[in-house]
Amino acid sequence: MTGTAGTTRAARTAEDPTRNGPWLLSGPHRPGAPRLYCFPHAGGNPVEYLRWAELLPAVEVHVLHLPGRGARHDEPDPGSVGDLVAALADGLLADTGFGDPRPYAFFGHSFGALIAYETTRALRDGGRRLPAELVVSAFPAPHTPLPAPDPDGLSDAELLHAVADRHGGIPPEVLDSRLLHVLVARPLRADLRLVAAYRHRPDVPLPVPLTVLGGTDDRVTEQALDAWREHTAEPVTVHLSPGGHFYLRDHEERFLDRLLDLLTPLTR
């Protein structure tokens, strides 16, 4: 659930990763390029996604940075998905100038898919310009049951092992280090609490094209991914790639090529 690969390169890539305020880490400003806003998985390190700024030079990359982690570690964890999304929507509007005429897309992986979806609904409800594409990855449709480990019934070590057994993605060096358990488990537990308490609020479908991605070997089934069709009135594409829950790591180049294929038409 964490990623450290490419941290140094990503730090070099970002001209000023905090230039957009506390809610985002950002790669270089790229006039004329589509903007991609990434919503990390539960407990995810935003730097893992910031690496894409180097790997996608034709895209302007921004990554959600939640309270309670990194430079925001002194801030309280969000109390609910609703509270988080309300604050995030306000923060995005204040920090990034959504009056920018360039098109943008949201990409959310796993837990991030839920937050990207709810943020899109909040922007819609606020009469704001919506993403030209919503890309959700490796997460069941929000109106369906959302299975997750008990965030409060397990110790830090037990929680990390439970998530690793179910989804993978946690490096062995993290699982084997008591020193790292606290650092990694806190944001992971906070995000899983949000999932556990989440209750979907029915509403009219979004007026946004939806792409749904997943791995062929993931526990999130094609049927669970296909159920996302209920949440948009626009075209839906469901695509499975080889790999598990972190198929996007397993075959990163293939995944980024597909993401670029989705984003490139936005500039035409």
Side-chain angles (χ1 to χ4, degrees):
M1 285 290 182
T2 61
T4 57
T7 299
T8 302
R9 286 190 301 162
R12 290 199 306 267
T13 297
E15 296 168 337
D16 179 4
T18 61
R19 68 175 184 269
N20 285 320
W23 283 102
L24 294 173
L25 297 180
S26 299
H29 177 58
R30 290 174 173 153
R35 293 170 294 161
L36 175 66
Y37 292 87
C38 301
F39 295 68
H41 54 277
N45 185 342
V47 173
E48 176 178 359
Y49 298 81
L50 191 60
R51 289 180 58 241
W52 297 352
E54 180 176 311
L55 301 173
L56 296 172
V59 177
E60 185 176 295
V61 177
H62 305 271
V63 186
L64 177 64
H65 187 204
L66 294 183
R69 59 208 75 193
R72 306 185 71 183
H73 68 276
D74 288 335
E75 300 180 41
D77 297 320
S80 69
V81 169
D83 290 344
L84 170 60
V85 166
L88 173 58
D90 288 344
L92 287 176
L93 294 171
D95 295 341
T96 64
F98 263 56
D100 188 325
R102 289 178 298 158
Y104 72 95
F106 282 168
F107 170 80
H109 180 63
S110 196
F111 163 77
L114 176 64
I115 304 305
Y117 161 73
E118 285 290 353
T119 301
T120 305
R121 294 216 297 178
L123 293 173
R124 187 268 313 272
D125 294 346
R128 305 293 182 172
R129 190 162 63 90
L130 299 178
E133 186 82 27
L134 173 60
V135 186
V136 294
S137 170
F139 198 79
H143 68 283
T144 64
L146 306 178
D150 180 359
D152 293 312
L154 301 172
S155 69
D156 288 347
E158 290 170 339
L159 179 64
L160 294 176
H161 280 278
V163 171
D165 289 344
R166 183 174 184 85
H167 296 303
I170 301 180
E173 57 268 26
V174 173
L175 295 174
D176 295 339
S177 171
R178 290 186 179 182
L179 293 176
L180 293 176
H181 285 175
V182 175
L183 294 176
V184 177
R186 178 195 167 183
L188 176 59
R189 193 185 303 278
D191 292 345
L192 293 178
R193 282 174 177 152
L194 298 183
V195 175
Y198 174 79
R199 297 295 180 269
H200 182 255
R201 173 179 53 83
D203 204 343
V204 296
L206 289 168
V208 177
L210 181 64
T211 296
V212 188
L213 304 177
T216 55
D217 300 322
D218 192 7
R219 292 194 183 208
V220 182
T221 66
E222 185 173 6
Q223 181 181 9
L225 296 174
D226 195 69
W228 275 97
R229 295 181 184 276
E230 295 190 20
H231 296 283
T232 181
E234 296 295 318
V236 177
T237 300
V238 179
H239 180 81
L240 297 184
S241 298
H245 193 67
F246 286 93
Y247 69 92
L248 67 175
R249 292 178 184 168
D250 300 337
H251 304 281
E252 184 178 62
E253 184 175 355
R254 178 185 299 184
F255 164 74
L256 291 178
D257 284 346
R258 177 166 293 277
L259 200 56
L260 187 59
D261 287 344
L262 289 170
L263 296 173
T264 299
L266 301 186
T267 60
R268 294 174 184 167

